[in-house]
Amino acid sequence: RSVSRGLGDVYKRQKLFNYDTKTYIYQSIFDVSLHKNNVMQDILSIHFAPLQGYTEAFYRNAHAACFGGIDSYYTPIVRLEKDGFRNKDVREIAPESNQVPHLVPQLIAPSIEKAETILSLFIEKGYKEADINLGCPFPLLAKRHNGSGILPYPDEVKTLLGLTLKYPQISFSVKMRLGWENPDECLQLAPILNDLPLRHITMHPRLGKQQYKGSVDLNGFDAFLNVCQHPLIYNGDINCPDDVHRIRQQFPALAGVMIGRGLLANPALALEYKENRTLTPDEMKEKLHIMHTSVYNQYAAQLEGGDGQLLNKMKTFWEYLAPNADRKLMKAIHKSTSLSKYNQAIQAFFSQR
């Protein structure tokens, strides 16, 4: 039987087999066929994609306070290194380190055993949601069947995602790509994914071996959308509110959009989409100045490696930011060789008229 849970969200009861307890459980499963017949929601949910080295807690907190417009923030991947956790990862997911409205921790692992160890940390910290990364394209991780490197191996994916059945108290989602080597890999995984109790799937329609090069494959995304029985979130090359409208018009059944580099370039993107307006240059500059000051001061208080470490950390703040800004001002920021020169360049940037 199907029940409506708000605009466009239609669920049905589905019988699933729990491989751990060898028993059947019943789960509310999103029914795409019914959802596609419903009226589109007025506003899509916006999810801030995790980017290693960029969207850390200080950045997320400052973004939420100064810009907002985000329904869910995701942590950069938590992984095991030499069978232990990196102190940074533990600190980053600590509830006391995060002030965003909704934070979802993300794990990456090549096996259910390692995934379970990471999940135990999430549970210890009080989380009731977890995102499983099947999309990371970085070769050092992928060659060990982490992230998108596991996509060509359906049996390994099935075993790894058995985690979702073993912990019914946790709401799981999956972030993935079309495949590692070819876009049909996700289609081969669809029956496995459809049988699992997932909150949603986020699809970045590139191959793992592409990393972030080339174009997104919208035909491949459409093919997966047609076989996916979970709410599907689109991720990839969203750089302005018009891109959100365009992708939503092309795929009316979308459950949301995840944005990464587009939000690093324009932190106001989600806010402008939600409010259906473009910030004035003065509004943008004021919000960005407050956000930068917040991130700068928090890293200055935390980092212990001196001015050089703080300088390198703050330069990442500008790596994607404001691609259309005055080139001379941006060059002064990127080329600054000391913290004093960096601060002079920042003052010049925010003083421009």
Side-chain angles (χ1 to χ4, degrees):
R1 66 191 175 87
S2 298
V3 292
S4 177
R5 294 191 177 176
L7 278 175
D9 288 354
V10 179
Y11 289 73
K12 63 182 179 182
R13 296 279 286 173
Q14 182 166 315
K15 187 178 181 182
L16 300 170
F17 185 69
N18 186 322
Y19 291 94
D20 187 54
T21 62
K22 309 300 183 189
T23 60
Y24 283 97
I25 59 174
Y26 288 88
Q27 184 74 25
S28 293
I29 299 294
F30 184 87
D31 191 328
V32 169
S33 62
L34 294 174
H35 172 61
K36 288 177 180 177
N37 292 327
N38 277 9
V39 178
M40 292 193 306
Q41 297 178 35
D42 290 332
I43 300 292
L44 279 177
S45 61
I46 304 293
H47 305 256
F48 202 145
L51 287 101
Q52 209 76 17
Y54 298 94
T55 60
E56 296 173 347
F58 292 157
Y59 185 97
R60 295 191 301 266
N61 293 340
H63 181 273
C66 298
F67 290 97
I70 303 297
D71 294 276
S72 297
Y73 291 82
Y74 291 73
T75 70
I77 50 176
V78 178
R79 68 180 189 269
L80 287 177
E81 270 192 7
K82 298 178 181 177
D83 296 323
F85 295 109
R86 298 180 299 176
N87 290 334
K88 175 184 173 183
D89 287 346
V90 176
R91 183 177 67 244
E92 277 288 309
I93 69 167
E96 61 269 21
S97 300
N98 292 280
Q99 286 89 48
V100 300
H102 184 209
L103 180 66
V104 181
Q106 186 183 79
L107 67 85
I108 191 169
S111 68
I112 189 171
E113 292 79 16
K114 290 186 175 182
E116 198 166 2
T117 301
I118 301 169
L119 183 65
S120 68
L121 174 66
F122 295 172
I123 293 172
E124 177 189 320
K125 298 297 181 182
Y127 289 97
K128 299 187 185 306
E129 294 177 63
D131 191 63
I132 301 174
N133 185 301
L134 303 183
C136 178
F138 298 121
L140 282 176
L141 291 172
K143 72 179 183 180
R144 296 186 176 91
H145 293 197
N146 289 285
S148 59
I150 200 174
L151 295 177
Y153 308 98
D155 288 345
E156 292 183 26
V157 171
K158 184 174 183 177
T159 300
L160 173 63
L161 296 185
L163 189 73
T164 65
L165 297 172
K166 197 169 182 180
Y167 292 85
Q169 74 273 29
I170 300 297
S171 179
F172 288 96
S173 56
V174 166
K175 186 174 190 295
M176 63 185 293
R177 291 198 171 208
L178 295 175
W180 172 260
E181 193 72 35
N182 73 75
D184 291 338
E185 290 169 22
C186 65
L187 302 181
Q188 295 169 16
L189 295 173
I192 296 171
L193 296 164
N194 288 340
D195 277 346
L196 297 172
L198 299 177
R199 181 185 183 93
H200 61 251
I201 293 174
T202 301
M203 174 60 77
H204 182 127
R206 279 186 172 91
L207 297 175
K209 68 177 184 179
Q210 281 183 264
Q211 297 197 40
Y212 294 96
K213 299 172 184 175
S215 302
V216 291
D217 179 359
L218 296 182
N219 290 330
F221 182 87
D222 188 48
F224 183 75
L225 175 65
N226 287 329
V227 298
C228 179
Q229 295 178 10
H230 296 294
L232 189 61
I233 293 172
Y234 175 88
N235 171 225
D237 294 6
I238 299 291
N239 298 308
C240 63
D242 282 348
D243 288 340
V244 181
H245 293 300
R246 173 184 52 80
I247 208 72
R248 198 273 182 82
Q249 186 173 17
Q250 187 167 354
F251 303 108
L254 282 182
V257 169
M258 179 176 279
I259 309 172
R261 292 170 295 163
L263 275 164
L264 292 181
N266 174 16
L269 198 165
L271 174 66
E272 291 179 333
Y273 167 71
K274 292 284 183 72
E275 296 189 354
N276 195 29
R277 70 184 185 96
T278 301
L279 295 189
T280 67
D282 284 346
E283 281 182 297
M284 183 67 185
K285 188 162 59 174
E286 180 184 4
K287 287 179 178 291
L288 193 58
H289 199 177
I290 296 171
M291 181 179 175
H292 175 271
T293 300
S294 173
V295 173
Y296 183 101
N297 288 342
Q298 289 181 86
Y299 277 123
Q302 182 194 78
L303 298 178
E304 299 176 347
D307 288 357
Q309 187 183 17
L310 178 58
L311 174 63
N312 290 333
K313 191 66 196 174
M314 290 311 302
K315 281 185 178 181
T316 65
F317 183 91
W318 299 90
E319 197 165 319
Y320 290 98
L321 185 62
N324 299 319
D326 184 284
R327 293 181 65 182
K328 187 176 179 180
L329 291 172
M330 295 302 287
K331 185 176 181 180
I333 294 172
H334 292 299
K335 297 292 184 181
S336 54
T337 55
S338 68
L339 203 55
S340 61
K341 289 183 178 178
Y342 173 83
N343 286 325
Q344 289 173 12
I346 294 303
Q347 186 175 5
F349 179 89
F350 286 115
S351 297
Q352 64 179 310
R353 298 303 300 172

